[in-house]
Amino acid sequence: MRFAGLAARIIAASIGLAALGATLAVTTGIAAAQDARAKRPAQGAAATQAVTAQLKSAIATTRGGKAEVGYAQLVAALDAADKLDVAGKPEDAQFVMGCYYQATSALRAVKRDELAEKLFARAMQSKAAAQSPPANADVLLAYAILTSDHARIQEAVPLYLKAIALFNGYWGEGSEESLIANDKLAVALSANGSPASATNLGRRNFELAQKALGNDHRTTWKLANNYADMLREIGAPAKALELDLFAIEKRAKHYGENHLNTLVTVNNAGQDFLNLGRFDEARRYFRRHRAIATVLAPGDPSFAGQADAWLFYTDMLAAGDTAMPEANLERLEAIVANEENFADFLRIKAAVLAAGQREQRGERDKGLRLRETALKISTRAFTAQHPVSFEIELGIAEALIATDARLAVQKFAALDRAMFDWMKREIGTAGDRAVAEAIRAHADHLLFAFGRFATGAGSAVAQPAFAAAVLRWKSLGGADATALRQLETKLAGKDEETARLVRTALRLNGEKQELFSSGNIDDWARAVWRRQDEAEKALDQRLAAIGVTLPREPVRPAQLLAPREAVVNYFITRQWKADRQSEAPLAATVLYAIIDTAQAEPRVVNLGDPGRMVDVGVRTEIARLRSTRATVPDLATSGRFQNLEARLIAPLEPLLADKTTLYIVPDGFLFAVPFALLSGRDGGLLEDRFTIRMLTSPDALIAIHARETLEQKGAILLAGGIDYGVPGPMPLPATKTEIEAIARLARARGAAVEILTGGGVGETVLRKAIGKARIAHLATHGFYHDSTPSGLDTLWQSGIVLSGAGDLRLPVPDEADGYLYAFELMDWDLSGLDLLVLSACETGRGDESFVSGLRGLPTALGIAGARRSLLTLWPVADEGTANFTVRFYEHLAGGLTYSDALRQTRRDARDGKVTGAADPSVWAAFVLFEG
């Protein structure tokens, strides 16, 4: 929010009470830094006095309401300044650029930005600018601020970066001048719909200020204030509150309680508490705001009126769904209409709250107009692609459900596409996982409302659109990734050069998204980004050379299915509380099943709360399986998993009646559910009725039938009987027997076999060897640790154990430590593998990710490009595992597909034909993820 002078009205400009806005920042923000750091050359003396007087008169005319006359006078003064001989005279060049700075500031103050921009362009072409005086940085920064104020952020960013480079060159990266310039860029990015980049920069600025200036410097407090604004903007009020309380303490101590800067941060803290639903604390801070405002401007009731409006809004919001008296509703609407006195964010909030009340009364047209007003305010103050605007548009879409379902579908679908494109960009530039998750939470809110609409009364019209949205959100690759997969499948075996470029682009794009969404923004991540850019350019050049374009319309699952096949795409939607850092951050969750068949439009089935569906008994049983290798003879008949069929499959029966093959795409915790143990309608198991194939993504259908049987002479890489460190993991002697048995089978069919064993199974050797194989079978220890207690990223908490591994596992990139982490494996190229078998414990586990999916080895292997991965859900017995996998290869050698071979091996184990694997704790642990 901008404060135009002490007694002036509070004008809308940004969320909350931010630091002084762009116009005043030109004169107060930079000038304050200049006053604080007297390092600049002095202006000229006698030769410049006439220009100074002429400029002063022109500025007075401009500010006096005669902008056109004043502009002509400013140009005349600048003509005189340009005639000064600045060559070899740094002080004169500095003086001239200072004149331009003052002239443009005067024009901006009277809202004649189009004239100011002409002078900025002229300034940068002047002889004085060519001498590179320090004032160039001020002029460039002011020019950048003007450009970004007009939502021309793409033009503004290069100007900001040039100005920042100058500030760094003149006064150093950690200087007050440089930090203020960086802060202006961060604020501009935030206001123009790039909150991830803005928050990255805001955090960096604040941390650098703490280091370079210290916690007791006023610029550090200013940067804390602005960083908090950015966090509040993306929906992270708890983190914002920490910064605001820090700034309040410092500002009140330095400036005193009754100071404008203290008031600003006190109001921000009130908004933080309000967003967290802590209404009593919010009222306390808004009352404090009012007390300060009364002292600062006792003769101006509108100054304290801002606090009164916030207090009133807090009371109305705290009342919940209780119907408001008409007088209170009219007061809310008066706040919305009063642009002069109230901040944009308050007006937006008041409009949305009033809209809900009007709709509750049946006055839907009035409610919709209020929401549209809120959107106009947000689009002007921020942009259309901004978290605040998205939330308002979602409210509009929901409001339309009651009056025009078809128009509501169009609104939901348009918002979904806009948010998806925005989300891909923002997640790709998020600097830490907390920011990435805050941004993704906006998508969750959209999908939660969209799913509820799609399964509500009379809402069948919304089901295809919701199903299409789910296809996009199951991974952030979206339609682009689907198109690339289609092209790769089309070119495979025909144009391997182009197919290889497509696979590389897909793999690096997936790795980049995972790295940046997880917050691993280091040299490795930046190197991946560069490689991904290079891969995309190489692919674009190749496609242009051969005259091929990407498919315009992504293929839908129904187009890839046979008549008796169906896709069951599970998808969890979440509604989050404001404080996602709390112990119970979720307000509600709903599990949907999206059913695709060749005969009909996709159908969406609401399966209810997944927390209740996968009950405590099931979760406890899975947790016990994960923590022990003990056999459980009655696992399949104990009833623990029998109810899952009733909850996950039975509600879908009308849509699956004639189907024989189910492609199941799990989501979240369902990745941990052993579908092989689910009971069928006839008392047997579900997989006795259906061929069940597990997909990591619906996109896997595109190439599901490519290379799905064993190449009789395809090379196979086997690793087992590994020597670990001393001390180190427990030896696994049966793994040597396991790989030798598989080697005999492979050699019998004439396949090339490479065996790695003993101390020769290091990362470097394995990575080189795996690139030559069609099948890689690694028999060793696997590990998975919940990332929550340690705070470490899941991809550093899961992996497999190789030669020389000791007891200590430091999660860092190290090819000699004996631990191959999922994070490292993600960077390998496994696109040549038809099958990767990790004959190890817990290799199929991971953490749930925001929006959807699973983060762990399955994620890493999918990104690396492996077509199929045979993994385990819990620890399995050494002997049983070895015998089970050998039997699996026997069925492959007999000509079965990979999925059918696993299904038949399970049957053999259940029938007692596989030594040590008859117990469900062995055969049910194995899962084949495809795609």
Side-chain angles (χ1 to χ4, degrees), residues 231-232 234-240 271-279 317 349 437-438 441-442 445 575-582 584-588 850:
L231 289 167
R232 189 163 47 251
I234 63 171
K239 286 183 173 292
Q271 291 188 54
D272 295 332
F273 283 120
L274 183 64
N275 292 337
L276 291 168
R278 296 164 63 177
F279 299 120
L317 185 66
K349 283 178 170 288
E437 290 179 345
H442 292 284
H445 291 165
Q575 190 174 52
W576 296 90
K577 297 177 183 175
D579 186 4
R580 288 187 305 279
Q581 295 176 271
S582 64
L586 286 171
F850 267 59

Side-chain angles (χ1 to χ4, degrees), residues 12 73 90 150 155 231 257 434 560 579 743 872:
Q73 293 177 1
H150 290 275
E155 296 175 47
L231 289 167
E257 175 72 5
L560 302 169
D579 186 4
T872 58

Side-chain angles (χ1 to χ4, degrees), residues 721-839:
I722 297 173
D723 290 342
Y724 308 118
V726 180
M730 178 185 67
L732 298 174
T735 61
K736 182 70 177 296
T737 306
E738 175 182 343
I739 64 170
E740 288 174 345
I742 297 168
R744 286 192 294 272
L745 286 171
R747 288 178 178 134
R749 58 181 171 82
V753 176
E754 182 174 3
I755 293 180
L756 302 178
T757 190
V761 197
E763 285 185 42
T764 303
V765 172
L766 182 60
R767 185 170 188 170
K768 182 178 179 180
I770 210 167
K772 306 172 187 176
R774 278 295 192 200
I775 294 178
H777 182 105
L778 312 180
T780 183
H781 285 290
F783 60 89
Y784 168 82
H785 304 286
D786 186 350
S787 64
T788 304
S790 66
L792 290 172
D793 187 88
T794 306
L795 297 180
W796 284 117
Q797 293 283 75
S798 55
I800 59 173
V801 186
L802 303 178
S803 296
D807 284 339
L808 184 63
R809 291 196 292 267
L810 293 176
V812 294
D814 184 350
E815 293 188 350
D817 63 357
Y819 291 94
L820 178 54
Y821 297 95
F823 191 97
E824 298 172 298
L825 190 54
M826 179 174 62
D827 193 52
W828 290 24
D829 182 359
L830 304 180
S831 58
L833 289 179
D834 290 343
L835 174 69
L836 175 64
V837 180
L838 294 183
S839 182

Side-chain angles (χ1 to χ4, degrees), residues 352-363:
V352 170
L353 183 58
Q357 285 286 323
R358 289 297 182 193
E359 290 156 1
Q360 187 176 319
R361 294 172 176 224
E363 300 171 319

Side-chain angles (χ1 to χ4, degrees), residues 8 190 377:
S190 180
I377 298 170

Side-chain angles (χ1 to χ4, degrees), residues 676-719:
L677 277 176
L678 267 59
S679 59
R681 292 180 304 180
D682 56 0
L685 295 179
L686 189 67
E687 75 167 7
D688 291 333
R689 175 186 170 197
F690 296 109
T691 295
I692 296 176
R693 301 179 71 165
M694 306 297 294
L695 310 183
T696 56
S697 166
D699 277 355
L701 278 174
I702 294 171
I704 196 73
H705 298 302
R707 303 197 326 234
E708 63 176 340
T709 58
L710 186 69
E711 284 190 3
Q712 287 302 310
K713 295 188 178 181
I716 183 168
L717 172 67
L718 302 168

